[in-house]
Amino acid sequence: MHSGELTVVLLNWNAMGETCDCLRRLVAWTQIRPHIYVVDNDSTDNSVNAISSEFPTVELLLNEANTGFSGGNNIAFKEISARLPDNSIFDPSHFILLLNNDAFIEEEDLIVLIESLAANPEVGVTGPLLFNGHDSDELLSAGGLDPAENGRTYWAGNEAEEHIGRTTIPYAVDYVSGTVALIRGQVVREVGFFDEDYFFSCEMADLCERIKQKGYLCTINPQVRAWHDMHSSGKYRDTLYLYYSLRNRFLFIRKFRRDKLYRLFCYWIVVGGKGMLKSLLTGKVATVRAYALALYDGVLGRYGGKNKLFLDSV
């Protein structure tokens, strides 16, 4: 496989250690030689110097501000598209691997994923089963669920275990997690880049929704495994992650579920209200504020990146 067939995109935001560990695995591959982009989302640690000095063959793109998962990946998408002959489209045979810096997939597994996508032109994006990086037997996700209708936006638990135990062929899902996602370059040409109003959370569900509207499938290949170390993001899960996860559901509903808007808005307002009350009773003041800000911004349509204001507040 020559390097022109695969581009890998990683984001970095003040996570020098995780990003360098991830890159060490990638550059050690022997069969796949991808072009690797690292987009630095305006880090304030020593990430830029560390990455550029240790990995001179990796292309480092510097973002002037932290524009989140959606905006950061768009920096790489724009760079990729600008280098193609007509300066506007992706090569249909070109694949893009989105990879979290705290996730990893073995080279052999990725080859299976690439071959599967290449052999099935009706699939626009595919991904692996995701397991816990600290417990290789714990299944974290077997595919994404519609965030407008589901509190848990990933398919896991006993139901997922039973299903994947009965199949070895790829199956359709609502969306593929951006933690590890292999995207056909052609579909990016057709549907466009990430919607940066999300900033973080639900942007892959949005992209996959647009991919499905073009007639493609979003699939999980149960023969392929990847691992995600969620320890590094744990300190933000009850505040920043919660805020974007709840707020962005309102944006997704506005865009794709307008026929159910009133019912779904009411549902998520109730969910947020219950979360606020539970957090208040347990003394989690920062979490209460995260719920309140998410509901306020989501209902009023105040989207985009809110990191600084949010982190300063909570």
Side-chain angles (χ1 to χ4, degrees), residues 185-220:
Q186 179 179 345
V187 306
V188 180
R189 173 191 66 187
E190 295 181 31
V191 307
F193 299 164
F194 285 111
D195 184 341
E196 297 188 18
D197 279 347
Y198 288 97
F199 188 80
F200 169 79
S201 184
C202 292
E203 64 283 289
M204 273 301 293
D206 179 291
L207 184 69
C208 287
E209 192 73 13
R210 289 182 277 135
I211 288 172
K212 290 184 294 181
Q213 287 176 349
K214 290 291 185 178
Y216 293 97
L217 295 174
C218 302
T219 67
I220 294 296

Side-chain angles (χ1 to χ4, degrees), residues 2 18 46 68 76 194 204 273 298-299 301:
H2 62 78
E18 289 89 346
N46 194 43
F194 285 111
M204 273 301 293
V299 171

